[in-house]
Amino acid sequence: MFFERVVREDALLAGALPMIRIAVIGAGPSGLATVIALMRRFHRPFEAWMIDAGDAPGAFGDGPAGKAFTTEPARDLSVFPDRPDDFSRWLKDGFLADGAVAALRGPQDMHVPRALFRDYVMARFGEALARRKDVRLRTLCGVAHRIDGEGERVRIGFGDGETAVFDHVFVATGFGVVQREAASWDEAVVAAARLVQQERPSPLTLIGNGPRLAAILLDLRARGFFGAIHIASASGGLPQPHGRTHDGVRFGEPPAGRSLRDAFRYIRQECSIAEARDGGQWQTVVDAASARLSVVWRNLPQAERNQYRRHLLRLHRHFSIRIAGDIHRRLMAEFETGRTRFVRPRDLKPAGENTIDCREVPSAHALAGMLGCDVAALSVDDCGHLLRHGEPLQGLSIVGAIASGLRPGPFVFAETVRQVYRSVLSAPLSGLARVSRG
């Protein structure tokens, strides 16, 4: 276990109140949003540990990944649920106020380099920290291998055998539990450079079907790699472009039944009605349907939830996560060249050095392994409480992409931010905290 740095060691304690100890596992956008929410809504001295296996806070915007465009438009990337246009305003005030871009397209519709989104998140993070002199913040480079309850507290066991105890733990690891993003980018660049040196190179194979794969594919071409690329995608397709906002799509009351079949019959029927009535694109209708599915989810028993997780979750994710229209057009043009084509995953030879894992799948099994329990016993509610056999686990919240391994969403950042704030507001931090809901 290695302490990377202490951001503030000399936090001022308010009176004689004890400092509550909180861990946030994950230092990407979800983890940073969680700490920002804590600093805005949890009004008691606390020490927060930001724990990540390899990245410092904000590292998601470093390197070639930082040049890739955000998968979501600026209107969906605010870290404040009560100010959904905050990122758009930040862009307009800081970069677009005097430029022609603002006149051609409003900042709320723009997809920007991830490094720019990182700068925004870190700016809001720094502002929140500057207002909280009673907060101590540590960043820690370490792999969390075990999470165990210890009375009303939670113990985290690290890969080197050391442990630490916290009053509350927020797991916000995104997709990093399975395959870290930086590893996908680095391995792809190294493999391409190796293949260029070969007289008869084999194809470079990228496994996945999400935005990460799309960004890596286009980056390799931009670097001048013209060799054959095979895409091994279980769905046989790539992410689709965004549709119109789904705010105007209206749905009827969800069924009172407790069957997954009834739930999807309702969703399918309402999608057909909305498509005919509102003339919406299929992406718009799917987005609206996903929001309704979260309501239906509350009535489903655990057995039905496990059916969804095993058979429908991967497909639901594929149709819910989108990319910018410009990026989608570039991908289609790339496939038309014939240099890039799809292959069936079962046709792959044993994975070798020219096969790169670009999948973005939150692993419910990895989470269950850290907890030492069967994944079929786990679920997550709307507030991020982790439940085992329907009972909440004390001191533990699951937020962001990792939560979508057990439930329908959150699939997009705006949903993650709303879930993070619900989680912070409902966290029973020893029953001692005064939480602001303003």
Side-chain angles (χ1 to χ4, degrees):
M1 185 167 64
F2 169 70
F3 283 101
E4 190 170 277
R5 66 185 175 122
V6 178
V7 177
R8 177 182 291 142
E9 180 67 53
D10 57 342
L12 301 177
L13 299 182
L17 292 176
M19 180 169 278
I20 289 176
R21 205 180 201 193
I22 299 171
V24 178
I25 303 178
S30 297
L32 287 164
T34 301
V35 179
I36 291 172
L38 284 164
M39 290 190 288
R40 293 185 73 219
R41 294 292 183 258
F42 183 58
H43 293 283
R44 184 186 174 106
F46 68 90
E47 177 181 271
W49 289 28
M50 294 196 72
I51 303 168
D52 198 277
D55 294 334
F60 65 90
D62 292 343
K67 299 177 182 178
F69 284 86
T70 56
T71 60
E72 300 159 52
R75 63 172 176 267
D76 294 328
L77 292 175
S78 171
V79 294
F80 304 134
D82 51 334
R83 303 208 305 264
D85 62 343
D86 187 64
F87 183 44
S88 300
R89 289 182 175 275
W90 185 84
L91 285 173
K92 182 178 179 180
D93 294 343
F95 298 91
L96 306 176
D98 300 320
V101 175
L104 298 174
R105 178 192 292 180
Q108 69 275 4
D109 297 321
M110 294 183 64
H111 295 257
V112 302
R114 293 176 64 194
L116 193 57
F117 173 57
R118 183 269 315 275
D119 293 345
Y120 158 74
V121 175
M122 294 305 295
R124 294 298 186 247
F125 179 84
E127 293 164 3
L129 184 61
R131 288 192 289 267
R132 292 296 303 270
K133 304 301 183 183
D134 58 343
V135 170
R136 179 182 299 155
L137 184 65
R138 296 174 179 268
T139 62
L140 169 66
C141 181
V143 179
H145 275 200
R146 288 282 302 181
I147 300 177
D148 298 297
E150 194 166 283
E152 293 185 349
R153 308 183 80 194
V154 179
R155 180 178 295 275
I156 298 178
F158 296 93
D160 58 2
E162 294 192 44
T163 66
V165 178
F166 300 90
D167 293 290
H168 201 90
V169 174
F170 294 88
V171 182
T173 54
F175 306 114
V177 173
V178 179
Q179 171 74 350
R180 302 195 63 78
E181 181 174 27
S184 297
W185 283 89
D186 294 343
E187 291 168 10
V189 171
V190 170
R194 181 174 54 249
L195 290 171
V196 167
Q197 303 301 319
Q198 298 177 5
E199 184 176 347
R200 289 187 162 184
S202 59
L204 174 63
T205 300
L206 305 180
I207 303 176
N209 60 3
R212 180 189 301 179
L213 179 142
I216 290 175
L217 168 60
L218 293 178
D219 178 70
L220 290 174
R221 294 310 190 196
R223 290 171 179 265
F225 177 72
F226 297 109
I229 295 180
H230 289 175
I231 306 298
S233 167
S235 66
L238 289 171
Q240 294 297 307
H242 286 272
R244 298 190 298 266
T245 176
H246 65 267
D247 293 341
V249 179
R250 302 181 299 278
F251 278 78
E253 286 299 316
R258 294 167 58 81
S259 159
L260 188 63
R261 184 185 299 274
D262 290 342
F264 270 86
R265 184 182 296 117
Y266 157 75
I267 294 294
R268 187 166 55 247
Q269 174 183 317
E270 292 295 325
C271 281
S272 297
I273 295 173
E275 183 76 19
R277 180 187 60 214
D278 301 316
Q281 300 169 326
W282 69 265
Q283 297 100 321
T284 304
V285 177
V286 167
D287 290 345
S290 295
R292 295 306 297 172
L293 184 56
S294 295
V295 177
V296 177
W297 183 259
R298 300 168 192 164
N299 295 324
L300 295 180
Q302 186 64 32
E304 296 289 307
R305 294 180 178 185
N306 287 334
Q307 288 286 333
Y308 166 84
R309 178 179 55 78
R310 286 193 294 265
H311 303 298
L312 296 170
L313 174 58
R314 190 180 296 269
L315 187 64
H316 188 187
R317 284 188 55 81
H318 175 67
F319 284 106
S320 297
I321 297 179
R322 313 282 163 63
I323 57 177
D326 292 344
I327 300 299
H328 185 262
R329 286 188 286 273
R330 288 173 59 192
L331 284 174
M332 295 303 98
E334 170 59 31
F335 276 86
E336 289 174 359
T337 66
R339 299 176 303 178
T340 301
R341 67 182 181 89
F342 285 108
V343 296
R344 294 175 298 181
R346 63 176 177 270
D347 291 342
L348 286 178
K349 297 178 180 179
E353 59 183 5
N354 296 331
T355 299
I356 312 301
D357 189 349
C358 305
R359 289 173 291 184
E360 300 164 275
V361 180
S363 176
H365 288 280
L367 178 62
M370 287 195 293
L371 296 167
C373 68
D374 184 359
V375 67
L378 299 177
S379 62
V380 179
D381 69 12
D382 290 343
C383 294
H385 299 139
L386 184 64
L387 312 175
R388 184 162 55 193
H389 298 298
E391 296 296 324
L393 295 177
Q394 184 73 24
L396 192 58
S397 298
I398 311 295
V399 297
I402 187 67
S404 69
L406 290 167
R407 57 168 291 119
F411 295 133
V412 296
F413 188 67
E415 293 176 6
T416 292
V417 169
R418 289 191 289 269
Q419 186 199 41
V420 161
Y421 276 77
R422 289 195 300 267
S423 185
V424 167
L425 292 171
S426 63
L429 290 165
S430 303
L432 299 175
R434 177 176 66 83
V435 177
S436 167
R437 297 180 182 271

